[in-house]
Amino acid sequence: MEQILAKTLLAGFEAAPAIPEGQMIRFVTTDSRQVGPDCVFVAFPGEKFDGHDFAAAALEAGAAYVVLNHPVEGVPAEKTILCPDSYQAMMRMGANYRAQFSPKVIGVTGSVGKTTTKEFCAAVFSGFGNTIKTEGNQNNELGLPRTLFQIGPDTEYAVVEMGMSHAGEIDRLARCAKPDAGIITCIGVSHIENLGSRENICKAKLEICAGLPEGAPLVLNYDDEYLRKAQLPAHVQPVWYSLTSGEADVSASAIRQEEDGMSFLVDDQDNGCFMIHIPALGRHNVANALAAYCVATRLGLPARQVIQELKNFRQTGMRQRVVDSHGVKVIEDCYNANPDSMRAALEMFRDFPCQRRFALLGDMLELGEISRAEHEELGRLAAVSNLEALVTYGEQAQRTAVTAAAKGLRTVYAHNYEEAAEALLRQVHPGDAVLVKASRGMALEKVLEIFYMERDAAALGN
């Protein structure tokens, strides 16, 4: 974060003291352990710790101001910014800080693929100038301001991911970040428990338009029926991409999965045709790459160089990371899961080059009333996905196992991480491949820890 005038950073807070002219703020923190001179400490109430209990100590450590939801005894009013919602306070300061700089900001949202699309965008824009991006899962009303605070005078591009679980959240994120262009990857069923229908999810994702300026490109997935029939605001310029239709502004054809990624032909109605190879597996990643291509070219970057920069994409975290465990290829895709991403992963895995295919699948969380039906549908999909055997873990994934077994697929339902690892260890041999996927809360990486340790021990024993 660059130093900023306190009056500028704290503008718009109704309950704020008189701020001296020329007073500077060096950084904003929500962690009392990171407090230092000339910072703003924002107190968040929590189940285990309440930041308000550390407000006085923050001032003693040099904080210029503390942002509180309510007055705290012993904390002087002249050092207190009162705001009933700490998230709202972070968003206000993030917006005030972002307004001092003029990078091209790209906002990315969607039910599935937004993080990977963000990474494709970051790979592209990094080839054209100093680029920052959302790190990890910092895509909410706390994480977005933290990302914006990374912007400096030399920042040319900022790629910000926008997540949500309720209506209105992306509206607030977009108004804070003020993106110059937006991407909506697709409309799935994540958070349908809160929003009620995919139509409502689509409306919530389209809230990104609230922060887009007149004529801004809005990149949309033509293959998504909910986006295609959505009523778009008149002030945005839609740019459609597709894997199935030549009617889109940009389309992909001749898609081929290779051992190290995907090759395909890009047909851009504005810029012509190009062959491309990306270091990512699955047709869904072709769509993610197309979205990044569209936003970069519609912001004026040359198409041929954009395609070259797409090759610099790298997966993050536990998203389709391929690990060789003594001859067994393991595709670690444990970061998140929902019906759409599960379907895409199984489709990719069907064409993965190996001798035999095994899958370890866990629960898909936050599906509400549709959870049972979707886990049973996952079992039907697994049964026709060219798998040698299926291992499942989780209460809902038991339904997946039962359905897959009824369709003739050999299945094992594991009650714990050890059983899941043992089920895989008993069956796989060098030349085989294993797909591991579930919602983040299932922590399937714990199964992999056991699996890798046992295979390492067996290799040493030989």
Side-chain angles (χ1 to χ4, degrees), residues 145-175:
R146 286 174 170 167
T147 300
L148 296 178
F149 290 147
Q150 297 177 38
I151 296 173
D154 62 342
T155 305
E156 297 177 68
Y157 301 99
V159 186
V160 294
E161 183 179 329
M162 299 179 181
M164 63 96 192
S165 56
H166 294 85
E169 291 176 355
I170 289 180
D171 180 280
R172 294 190 289 274
L173 295 173
R175 293 180 188 277

Side-chain angles (χ1 to χ4, degrees), residues 391-450:
V391 180
T392 70
Y393 168 72
E395 181 180 352
Q396 294 301 313
Q398 188 170 8
R399 302 183 187 278
T400 301
V402 170
T403 305
K407 294 292 183 179
L409 178 61
R410 183 156 51 90
T411 64
V412 175
Y413 172 68
H415 295 82
N416 52 52
Y417 297 132
E418 291 78 10
E419 285 186 13
E422 181 58 33
L424 292 174
L425 288 163
R426 284 197 310 266
Q427 301 182 76
V428 300
H429 303 292
D432 296 339
V434 181
L435 170 67
V436 182
K437 188 166 181 64
S439 283
R440 185 71 195 90
M442 301 307 294
L444 287 190
E445 67 273 12
K446 295 182 180 180
V447 177
L448 291 176
E449 289 173 8
I450 302 168

Side-chain angles (χ1 to χ4, degrees), residues 42-54 69-70 86-87:
V42 183
F44 275 81
E47 294 181 4
K48 294 183 178 180
F49 301 101
D50 187 341
H52 293 76
D53 296 338
F54 303 94
N69 300 161
H70 53 77
S86 301
Y87 291 99

Side-chain angles (χ1 to χ4, degrees), residues 34 54-55 94 116 143 152 202 206 262 276 299 329 340 360 445 447:
Q34 297 177 355
F54 303 94
T116 303
C202 186
L206 282 166
M262 305 296 292
I276 182 172
L299 285 174
K329 295 289 181 63
D340 299 299
L360 167 59
E445 67 273 12
V447 177

Side-chain angles (χ1 to χ4, degrees), residues 100-144:
Q100 307 310 303
F101 304 94
S102 55
K104 290 290 186 184
V105 177
I106 298 89
V108 183
T109 191
S111 297
V112 182
K114 57 183 174 290
T115 298
T116 303
T117 300
K118 173 207 65 177
E119 293 296 331
F120 270 115
C121 288
V124 168
F125 288 106
S126 293
F128 292 90
N130 190 315
T131 301
I132 68 162
K133 64 179 181 179
T134 300
E135 298 292 348
N137 61 350
Q138 298 287 303
N139 61 8
N140 58 14
E141 291 174 312
L142 176 58
L144 180 79

